[in-house]
Amino acid sequence: MNPAASVIIFTVFSGFGFGLLALLGFGCSGAQGWSAFFLWGLGYGFAVVGLLASVTHLGNPQRAWRAFSQWKSSWLSREGIGALTTLFCLAPAALGAIFGLPIWSVFGPIGGLLAVMTVFTTSMIYAQLQSVPRWNHACVPLMFASFMAAGGLIVLGQLGQALMGLGLLALVLIVGFWIGDSQFPARAQTIAKATGLGHMGALRLFEAGHTSENYLMREMIYVVGRKHRMKLRVIAVVLACFVPMLLIAAGQGGDIARGLGLLSHLCGACVARWLFFAEAEHVVGLYYDQR
Amino acid sequence: MTCLPSLTDKKLGLVIDLDTCVGCQACVTACKGWNDQGYGAPLSDQEAYGEAPNGVFLNRVHSYEAQPLDAPAQIVNFPRSCLHCDDAPCVTVCPTGASYKRVEDGIVLVNEDACIGCGLCAWACPYGAREMDADAGVMKKCTLCVDRIYNENLQPIDREPACVRTCPTGARHFGDLGDPNSKVSQLVTARGGYNLMPDLGTKPTNKYLPPRLKDRQSARPDQASLLAPLLDIEAKGFAGWLDRILGKIS
């Protein structure tokens, strides 16, 4: 699948933003005043930038409001509704923390729960697609949830919690790569099933019917990314998990160490998300005899 | 709404005969031609006369080579377009309700005024039936020529999809696949029509008819070439003399 910058920024930024907001909502930080303003601002900033990036992905962004209507069937619609509801629901909690009105924090846990649900709906946009076997697996929501937790814990968790979150993320990523690799073969979708001509002999594409690339090939047959997949996987896990772990451990959970760790984590998350798209193979590639 | 209807009154669709299709691309051209001017945003092209021309097509014809173990390879031309599935995954993923399946005839359509161009439906379709129009930013797909089949301004003979109307070999058939007595349903029964990627559970309406088995020449050596006796040409005159002399040298 095409790793478009807009969807990478959308999923990474909003995932981190909602992760931080969820922990803030659950009351993991006792920050007040300016430090609360900074933390909530960081969460809101990332979540909103991520959502805006997703809007730039659209062919007709002026109609984006229509995406709130189909919650009954569409995970993408649920994601939009979840995101906005979370942001509105947490606003009183944020203002309460900044201006010292503890009673408003009752909105926090509800908003935190909504944030978790929102990230789940984001992951289901991809995990629901049978046409992309690598994504159509429970490890995708687990991966999104792990990123959400790890990102939030880098900022807010105690030293041990941050390290544990990052360690868990590394494990989920590695297992996810391993499971993901076996998904396309496991579905047994082949050029023979795609065309129904398997009984005639070994099949290959003779002519694609058109001489230049088209939307389908640009969007769903992204072969470039797989050349360096192993190196990129190592880079992703090291940057997203191991470097932040080392920095935070070395800095004894200090603010500068956490800041640098977060920077590295987000870079690693972008690499991992780029791979998430670039590695995923769509079954339509079978008609082109390419994956 | 993007929830699928549990039942449609009709199941209009295509039956494509892979035995008869010669891969002439006439259906591709007719489809592009008709959908440039009727329903919805015209199918656009980018760099149509440039170095890398590309554009939207609702129907593309691939050719495959099937190589049996013990016989010559065979070419099969394979038109690929929307299958108007009963359980269309492209419909349910749509966040705006732009994508829908009609209750009256089962045609899967896009309301382009509500389409935000997110592209998720194209991702959800296993068959590559949907393509985003780079010009209009909305999703395009086969409409089963909904603006032809009910169009009373056309002659009755023209009230079928452009691809079917134009096919010079009669490889494309249009009708109600929900009615077991319709011509297309009988064709499917008679010829063993099948679904593409059936285990994905999309329940396509369109059916494909398999190529008929070709006659195979016997592999016996004495029948290997019927022309063998004729190939033994004996030269006469000067050429014959030269042939004999040269034959003796080695």
Side-chain angles (χ1 to χ4, degrees), chain A residues 237-260:
Chain A
V237 177
V238 167
L239 279 183
C241 308
F242 295 144
V243 170
M245 284 169 90
L246 280 176
L247 283 170
I248 292 170
Q252 292 295 310
D255 286 347
I256 296 171
R258 281 174 194 264
L260 291 174

Side-chain angles (χ1 to χ4, degrees), chain A residues 59-60 63 67 70 73-74 130-131 189 193 195 202 204 206-207 209-210 212-214 216 219-220 282 287-288, chain B residues 1-2 53 60-65 67 80 92-93 97 112 115-117 122-123 125 136-137 194 197 199-200:
Chain A
N60 278 287
R63 300 178 192 144
Q70 303 301 309
S73 71
S74 167
Q130 268 202 308
S131 50
Q189 294 299 339
K193 270 194 189 159
T195 60
R204 72 174 184 97
F206 185 69
E207 266 185 322
H210 38 85
S212 59
E213 264 199 343
N214 61 41
L216 297 172
E219 195 71 6
M220 312 194 209
H282 194 286
Y287 289 105
Y288 287 88
Chain B
M1 280 300 261
T2 50
R60 295 181 185 265
V61 179
H62 298 238
S63 298
Y64 297 100
E65 181 195 74
Q67 175 68 67
R80 184 174 58 75
T92 50
V93 298
E112 291 176 8
C115 175
I116 56 174
W123 283 12
C125 173
Y194 62 87
M197 292 198 260
D199 39 1
L200 289 183

Side-chain angles (χ1 to χ4, degrees), chain A residues 25 31 39 65 93 118 121 125 133 158 171-173 228 275:
Chain A
L39 287 173
W65 59 273
T118 301
T121 56
I125 296 172
Q158 290 161 0
L171 188 71
V172 168
L173 278 174
H228 298 298
L275 263 178

Side-chain angles (χ1 to χ4, degrees), chain B residues 9 24 31 93 96 102 111 113 122 232:
Chain B
D9 300 341
C24 68
C31 170
V93 298
T96 68
R102 306 206 324 170
N111 172 6
D113 293 333
D232 193 17

Side-chain angles (χ1 to χ4, degrees), chain A residues 137-160:
Chain A
H137 194 275
C139 66
V140 169
L142 192 64
M143 186 266 284
F144 274 71
S146 304
F147 264 114
M148 183 190 193
L153 287 171
I154 290 176
V155 181
L156 289 183
Q158 290 161 0
L159 181 64

Side-chain angles (χ1 to χ4, degrees), chain B residues 218-238:
Chain B
S218 160
R220 279 165 52 196
D222 57 327
Q223 287 189 356
S225 174
L226 297 170
L227 297 174
L230 300 174
L231 292 172
D232 193 17
I233 300 164
E234 207 165 311
K236 293 190 175 78
F238 175 69

